[in-house]
């Protein structure tokens, strides 16, 4: 590390999303090349110093152990939702010590889970990727989860996904080196839009060329109503009335915009929430069913099989086997 450079640490856990690491380092590397000096430096951190496998099954050798980390300005957790310290007492103490000395602490994507488990997000707001929202809220109901792509709250910096990490680093480049350098970095990577803290995540619909904010107003409103009524189901007729359409008009408009019926979309939305809980929580099947609006687990399991081809129990068993044996990538974003 050189003086006058911003020094970042990236703490990696087994199964971490490699895209988040490259999305953080590459724009900083490009900024250094553009200005002709080391304006940014970084180090890859591991709890133990042993090789850490990413979700893509590419192994990384940490530069430094967490216990030996010193001098960083920022430290980010990179992990899947299952990430945990081997020795949480010692590791959490090391991170808290850094925070007390003014180091900004953050998490990328699923890295918010071990970060929240450390207790360092208590009383703070964090950005939660939409595909982890249900599992995060189930485990940490007391922590406020934001739908924004980036959240910065009193020394805690979180980004929901690899693209958000890139945006976060562009913001850092802007703050340290100015808008001209930041814009040139964005152009290097053909990154057309720099998003800040006030931008919400765009949730993809069935058609790959559209996100929720690009849909007709009636369809977008229907989708918002579906999302607000996962635990307490709403009838399609009620949704149609709320968006000032007949049930038939809603069905036709919705299918034209998304490629699927409102009922199919709504059921899949609930199943995706159920899958988050099956994969990333320890909730019982009965509790998961209640959390996605079913009175019992039997119909929920039937719809889960129709959606994913396996039962939630089989899904959970498979992901637990991956975590133990590491024989396949762990889902992460």
């Amino acid at each position: 590390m050189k003086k006058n450079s911003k020094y970042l640490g990236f703490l990696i856990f087994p199964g971490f999303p490699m895209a988040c690491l490259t999305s953080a380092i590459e724009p900083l590397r490009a900024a250094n090349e553009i200005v002709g000096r080391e304006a940014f430096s970084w180090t890859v951190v591991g709890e133990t110093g042993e090789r850490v496998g990413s979700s893509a099954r590419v192994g990384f050798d940490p530069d430094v152990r967490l216990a030996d980390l010193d001098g960083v300005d920022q430290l980010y957790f990179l992990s899947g939702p299952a990430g945990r310290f081997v020795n949480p007492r010692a590791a959490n103490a090391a991170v808290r010590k850094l925070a007390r000395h003014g180091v900004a602490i953050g998490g990328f994507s699923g890295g918010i889970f071990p970060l929240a488990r450390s207790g360092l997000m208590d009383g703070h707001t964090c950005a939660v990727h939409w595909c982890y929202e249900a599992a995060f809220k189930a485990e940490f109901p007391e922590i406020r989860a934001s739908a924004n792509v980036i959240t910065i709250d009193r020394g805690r910096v979180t980004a929901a996904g690899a693209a958000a990490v890139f945006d976060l680093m562009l913001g850092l480049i802007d703050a340290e080196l100015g808008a001209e350098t930041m814009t040139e970095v964005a152009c290097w990577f053909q990154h057309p839009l720099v998003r800040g803290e006030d931008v919400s995540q765009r949730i993809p619909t069935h058609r790959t060329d559209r996100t929720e904010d690009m849909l007709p107003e009636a369809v977008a409103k229907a989708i918002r109503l579906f999302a607000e009524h996962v635990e307490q189901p709403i009838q399609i007729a009620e949704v149609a009335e709320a968006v000032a359409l007949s049930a038939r008009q809603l069905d036709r408009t919705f299918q034209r915009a998304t490629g699927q019926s409102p009922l199919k979309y709504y059921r899949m939305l609930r199943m995706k929430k159920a899958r988050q809980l099956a994969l990333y929580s320890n909730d019982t099947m009965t509790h998961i069913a209640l959390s996605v609006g079913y009175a019992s687990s039997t119909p929920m399991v039937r719809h889960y099989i129709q959606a994913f081809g396996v039962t939630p129990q089989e899904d959970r068993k498979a992901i637990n086997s991956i975590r133990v044996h590491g024989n396949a990538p762990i889902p992460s974003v």
Side-chain angles (χ1 to χ4, degrees):
M1 181 190 67
K2 294 181 180 180
K3 289 183 178 181
N4 301 320
S5 70
K6 186 68 71 171
Y7 185 29
L8 287 73
F10 301 108
L11 175 60
I12 57 175
F13 291 75
F16 76 96
M18 188 172 69
C20 284
L21 182 61
T22 56
S23 290
I25 292 175
E26 281 299 298
L28 302 181
R29 186 268 307 168
N32 286 347
E33 290 190 27
I34 289 167
V35 299
R37 62 181 177 88
E38 191 174 85
F40 301 98
S41 55
W42 51 85
T43 188
V44 177
V45 186
E47 181 186 1
T48 66
E50 296 179 0
R51 172 165 285 204
V52 179
S54 69
S55 60
R57 289 185 284 182
V58 177
F60 288 77
D61 296 316
D63 302 313
V64 61
R65 294 189 312 130
L66 177 59
D68 300 325
L69 183 63
D70 185 39
V72 291
D73 300 296
Q74 302 173 3
L75 176 67
Y76 294 100
F77 287 48
L78 284 76
S79 174
R84 296 178 184 273
F85 285 122
V86 176
N87 186 344
R89 183 174 180 179
N92 287 334
V95 177
R96 290 193 187 102
K97 181 179 178 182
L98 291 169
R100 286 196 304 271
H101 285 81
V103 175
I105 307 294
F108 299 157
S109 193
I112 60 165
F113 283 81
L115 178 57
R117 290 177 188 125
S118 75
L120 286 167
M121 287 308 303
D122 293 354
H124 292 76
T125 300
C126 60
V128 179
H129 195 287
W130 61 267
C131 78
Y132 295 147
E133 179 188 11
F136 187 85
K137 289 182 176 179
E139 185 172 353
F140 308 106
E142 73 287 354
I143 299 177
R144 185 172 180 273
S146 169
N148 288 351
V149 293
I150 296 167
T151 299
I152 302 174
D153 182 12
R154 294 164 293 147
R156 303 291 180 268
V157 185
T158 49
V165 173
F166 200 101
D167 290 323
L168 179 66
M169 295 300 112
L170 288 177
L172 178 60
I173 293 166
D174 187 9
E176 295 294 316
L177 301 175
E180 185 175 345
T181 301
M182 180 272 287
T183 301
E184 188 168 353
V185 171
C187 289
W188 273 30
F189 293 95
Q190 293 294 294
H191 194 75
L193 177 67
V194 182
R195 300 170 299 173
E197 293 179 71
D198 58 344
V199 178
S200 295
Q201 298 174 53
R202 293 185 177 187
I203 301 175
T205 59
H206 179 71
R207 290 187 173 177
T208 57
D209 61 339
R210 293 190 176 185
T211 53
E212 184 183 341
D213 61 333
M214 300 166 61
L215 296 170
E217 178 56 32
V219 176
K221 186 176 179 181
I223 286 174
R224 288 194 294 271
L225 286 169
F226 290 145
E228 292 167 1
H229 291 83
V230 171
E231 189 169 347
Q232 299 294 331
I234 188 171
Q235 297 297 315
I236 300 298
E238 295 177 77
V239 175
E241 183 178 356
V243 301
L245 295 175
S246 69
R248 187 171 182 178
Q249 286 174 321
L250 175 62
D251 186 83
R252 196 163 49 237
T253 304
F254 203 99
Q255 291 218 40
R256 188 163 53 243
T258 70
Q260 55 190 314
S261 70
L263 179 61
K264 184 177 180 181
Y265 178 93
Y266 188 27
R267 181 176 294 170
M268 181 55 73
L269 176 68
R270 294 161 69 192
M271 288 302 96
K272 287 177 179 178
K273 297 283 187 183
R275 196 177 200 201
Q276 289 179 40
L277 295 170
L279 295 179
Y280 306 126
S281 81
N282 295 318
D283 290 353
T284 65
M285 293 304 121
T286 298
H287 190 277
I288 291 174
L290 293 173
S291 297
V292 295
Y294 290 85
S296 69
S297 62
T298 301
M300 186 272 289
V301 170
R302 183 173 67 252
H303 290 158
Y304 195 104
I305 293 170
Q306 291 172 358
F308 306 117
V310 294
T311 67
Q313 296 93 329
E314 290 168 339
D315 236 357
R316 176 173 285 177
K317 183 178 179 180
I319 200 68
N320 286 336
S321 175
I322 290 168
R323 290 168 185 153
V324 171
H325 302 294
N327 58 350
I330 299 173
S332 58
V333 293

